[in-house]
Structure formats: C-alpha cells, structure tokens
Amino acid sequence: MKKRIVFICSNLSAGGAQNVVTLTSEKLVSIGYDVTIITFSSKKSDFYKLNEKIKRIPLDKLSNSKNIFNAIINNYSRIKTLRKTLKNQKFETCISFVTETNIITIIASLFLKNKIIISERNNPYKQDQKFIWHLLKFLTYPLADILTANSKLAIKYYKKNIFLKKIIYSPNPLPIPQNLSYTNKKNFLSVGKLTEQKGHDILIKAFANLINNNKSFSSYSLTIAGIGKEKRNLQKLASSLGIDKNIFWVYNANIYELLKKHSIFILSSRYEGTSNALLEAISAAKPIIVSNQASDSINFLKNNHNCIIFPINDIDLLTRSMEKLSNDYNFKSKLSKNLMIDYSMHYSKSDFDSHWIDLVD
C-alpha cells in the first residue's frame, strides 16, 4: 500500500506554488499514492480543479491580522487546528510550501511521527520578509527532514544558512509541450501576481514609451493577468501615462487560452525562484521577453537565440525589445522555433516522477 501524503499550503488560488502543489499531487496520485491537500483557506478561493482522487481539507483559518497580537492569535489557531488534523489523519509524509506555512507545519508536527518536507519557491536573497518570520525560519527549518528549493541560487543560500543535512534542488514540474497556433496580433501578455516583485510597473512604463513615442503602436494592447495588492497603484500609473485604455486586467483565466490570443509574452520580474508562467509560455514556444532576474533559473534560455533577455530596470531596452519583436517577423519566428527545439530536448530529459518518489519514500 502506497504512503499517505499530505500537501499543506495557504490556499489554492492562482499562483506558482499552488500550481506546483496541484501538478505534483496529480502526478503522485496517478502512480498510486494516497494524496490529500490541506489549505488554511476555505474552498472559495480555489482556482485549480483537482483530480477527484485527491482529498481536500480546507481549514478555513485564513484571515488578515490587524496587529501583532491578532497575528499571534491567528497563527496559534492555525497551528492548533493543523496539529489536530495531522494527528487524526495519521499522514506519513507532510509536504508544505512557502515560508510561513512551512514554519506553521513544522511547529504543528512537533513530536508527531510524520516525515516533514518543506519547500521554498522564491529567491531568498531578495525576498522581502518580516523579521519574526525570518528568525523563525532559521529556528524551525533544521527540524524538518528535507528542505527543497526550485533554483540553484536558493539551494546555495540554504546550504550556507540552514543547519539541515538534506537540502535538495527540486525543479518545478515541466508543462507538456503545447502546439498552439501562431498569432501575429498587436498585443502583449504578462502573467503574475500584482506585487512589487513581478515588476509590472517596469513593463507598464516600457509599454507607455512604445505607444507614446511611436504612432504605429497606438492600437497595441497589453494584458496583465493576476491579482494582488499593487493593482490600484498599477492602474494609477497606467492612467498617469495615458495608456489605461490600452491595458486589460484579467484574473482566473486559463493561461494557454491567453497565450493563444497574444503575440508576445513578457516577464519583467525583479526576482524569481522559477516562474511557472514563464515555463508555460516556454512550453507553448511563445516569443518571450524576460528580465535577467527571471531567466537565471532556466539554463537553456539564451538571449537572441530563443528569447530576449533584458537587464532589470532597463526600461529603454525593454521598450526597444518590444518594438523589435513586434516589427521583425523573421526574428520572432526564429526565437519561437529555437525555443520549441530547446524546450523539447529539456522536457525529454526531465525525470519528475522518480524525483518525487525518492523524496516521499
């Protein structure tokens, strides 16, 4: 009989970590594991549809904390409820995602007999984190059995700073290569949470330069897919630059449907672990413009060979790159074809199933 495994995350809303949880759960349940997903949120925020064989336990304990005392009470409640659930369900392996959830899972599992695997999905050198969570990370992470991260840079950081024997590189699951119809529409697409990290403000400024300085681009549009606390500020920025009518904001959309309808994909992140949205655009061989901070974790991306890579904060170069890809059909076609070849080779060498079997067994 296969082991009983539980994945623990804050929610199943649209996001990179949630996508990895969903894909990994489906992989493991397909090869016979008994898989459950626990979230601190209710099911109302769910974006991903799960395989019917995956059990779902929403704790409904996700609420905003108004002050430090409120935060202590809320997190104590999460720990208490999670511990009770883990004791009752008797899972053999717990796999948690993202710092705060990792810490809560470790504390809730103290003196229980389950194996604990924690997963980091961001760049620890640049991730903005409150001091208390930063401190608790260094105090609790050594109590886990395995720490995984999805970039070599993060692995280097944790091996240097966390006293834990098993720190393992665990790349994101690769999407199946897609054969999407090619489009030459006058539009751009960016996908990611509306936070400072994702650099949507950089993209909006570059897009404004493109439209305001070249009349031939006045009919172009930019779609930004995501949700987050910076949405209002980004909309104000677009309005102040006179391009608010050229930008469309969407959420909960199927990324492959969006990729079908857009000509060029742009990721302007200030930092990343490994972007799932970028991997999905790559799997569809979409012409791509990506910041050097987001491309580092994907070793087969090469500037002017299968994508355009621009230095973060170089708004002028991003503008020129958008103009070049839009105007030069042959160059755009070359990047797309090379990307399809390079990704297919990379995908054929991936061994995701055996990697996770080794981790959980």
Side-chain angles (χ1 to χ4, degrees):
M1 183 177 177
K2 291 288 186 180
K3 286 186 176 180
R4 298 191 68 221
I5 298 168
V6 60
F7 287 84
I8 304 168
C9 56
S10 178
N11 56 62
L12 282 181
S13 62
Q18 294 88 339
N19 186 40
V20 173
V21 168
T22 304
L23 291 174
T24 308
S25 299
E26 289 179 348
K27 287 275 189 179
L28 291 174
V29 82
S30 71
I31 53 179
Y33 285 89
D34 184 319
V35 179
T36 299
I37 296 178
I38 292 177
T39 62
F40 294 126
S41 69
S42 67
K43 285 186 178 181
K44 291 179 181 179
S45 64
D46 284 9
F47 171 73
Y48 295 99
K49 293 182 179 179
L50 301 175
N51 184 309
E52 60 183 14
K53 293 181 180 179
I54 299 172
K55 302 177 186 70
R56 176 83 167 82
I57 302 178
L59 300 182
D60 198 11
K61 289 288 180 178
L62 199 61
S63 56
N64 293 324
S65 302
K66 298 177 181 179
N67 52 57
I68 189 169
F69 301 107
N70 195 220
I72 291 170
I73 292 170
N74 286 339
N75 283 306
Y76 173 75
S77 177
R78 288 170 196 141
I79 291 168
K80 184 179 178 181
T81 305
L82 178 59
R83 182 175 178 82
K84 182 179 179 181
T85 304
L86 295 178
K87 286 180 73 174
N88 290 340
Q89 295 291 328
K90 294 182 171 59
F91 298 109
E92 292 164 279
T93 302
C94 296
I95 307 169
S96 70
F97 280 72
V98 186
T99 305
E100 290 87 344
T101 304
N102 292 340
I103 292 167
I104 290 171
T105 298
I106 291 169
I107 296 172
S109 300
L110 286 173
F111 307 114
L112 300 182
K113 294 181 179 180
N114 47 278
K115 181 178 184 178
I116 302 173
I117 301 172
I118 55 176
S119 182
E120 285 287 347
R121 319 305 295 178
N122 216 326
N123 183 337
Y125 289 99
K126 297 187 177 182
Q127 190 174 8
D128 185 25
Q129 212 160 53
K130 291 181 179 178
F131 173 76
I132 185 63
W133 289 112
H134 193 67
L135 176 63
L136 286 171
K137 177 162 66 174
F138 288 100
L139 293 174
T140 60
Y141 274 24
L143 301 175
D145 293 288
I146 299 173
L147 187 158
T148 72
N150 65 346
S151 73
K152 298 290 179 66
L153 189 68
I155 291 296
K156 180 181 177 181
Y157 173 89
Y158 287 113
K159 283 187 174 180
K160 182 179 178 181
N161 293 286
I162 299 293
F163 297 103
L164 182 62
K165 187 176 289 185
K166 287 191 176 182
I167 299 177
I168 298 171
Y169 172 58
S170 180
N172 289 12
L174 297 177
I176 298 170
Q178 303 290 315
N179 186 20
L180 300 186
S181 56
Y182 190 78
T183 179
N184 202 32
K185 292 182 178 179
K186 297 179 178 181
N187 55 22
F188 304 96
L189 171 67
S190 184
V191 178
K193 288 183 179 179
L194 307 184
T195 60
E196 193 266 348
Q197 173 190 345
K198 298 297 181 179
H200 293 300
D201 56 314
I202 296 169
L203 175 55
I204 288 171
K205 290 173 184 176
F207 183 55
N209 287 345
L210 188 69
I211 288 181
N212 295 332
N213 298 332
N214 193 328
K215 290 183 179 180
S216 65
F217 283 91
S218 61
S219 62
Y220 273 67
S221 66
L222 166 64
T223 298
I224 298 178
I227 194 170
K229 60 184 179 181
E230 286 297 309
K231 183 174 183 178
R232 185 172 296 178
N233 290 334
L234 292 170
Q235 288 176 326
K236 285 181 180 178
L237 175 63
S239 180
S240 70
L241 295 171
I243 59 167
D244 48 309
K245 293 181 180 179
N246 296 77
I247 297 182
F248 299 94
W249 308 85
V250 300
Y251 176 63
N252 276 6
N254 181 291
I255 188 168
Y256 289 111
E257 290 301 317
L258 290 174
L259 288 167
K260 282 181 185 178
K261 298 173 183 176
H262 291 80
S263 181
I264 296 167
F265 178 87
I266 303 173
L267 187 67
S268 51
S269 299
R270 289 183 167 89
Y271 60 93
E272 285 284 354
T274 300
S275 166
N276 283 288
L278 179 58
L279 285 175
E280 287 161 335
I282 291 170
S283 74
K286 186 61 61 173
I288 288 169
I289 303 172
V290 58
S291 75
N292 59 342
Q293 297 299 315
S295 63
D296 281 352
S297 61
I298 302 177
N299 58 16
F300 60 85
L301 288 181
K302 293 180 175 60
N303 189 36
N304 292 324
H305 168 70
N306 54 23
C307 67
I308 293 179
I309 300 173
F310 72 96
I312 194 62
N313 291 325
D314 193 337
I315 294 172
D316 289 339
L317 181 56
L318 176 54
T319 301
R320 295 197 302 273
S321 299
M322 294 167 76
E323 182 177 5
K324 180 175 177 61
L325 263 192
S326 299
N327 288 335
D328 192 336
Y329 177 86
N330 290 332
F331 180 60
K332 182 161 61 174
S333 179
K334 183 196 87 168
L335 295 186
S336 183
K337 287 177 181 177
N338 288 341
L339 190 60
M340 183 183 296
I341 293 168
D342 295 340
Y343 181 73
S344 295
M345 290 177 61
H346 188 74
Y347 181 83
S348 67
K349 295 176 182 177
S350 66
D351 197 11
F352 182 81
D353 291 3
S354 61
H355 168 73
W356 272 97
I357 291 170
D358 290 342
L359 283 178
V360 301
D361 281 349

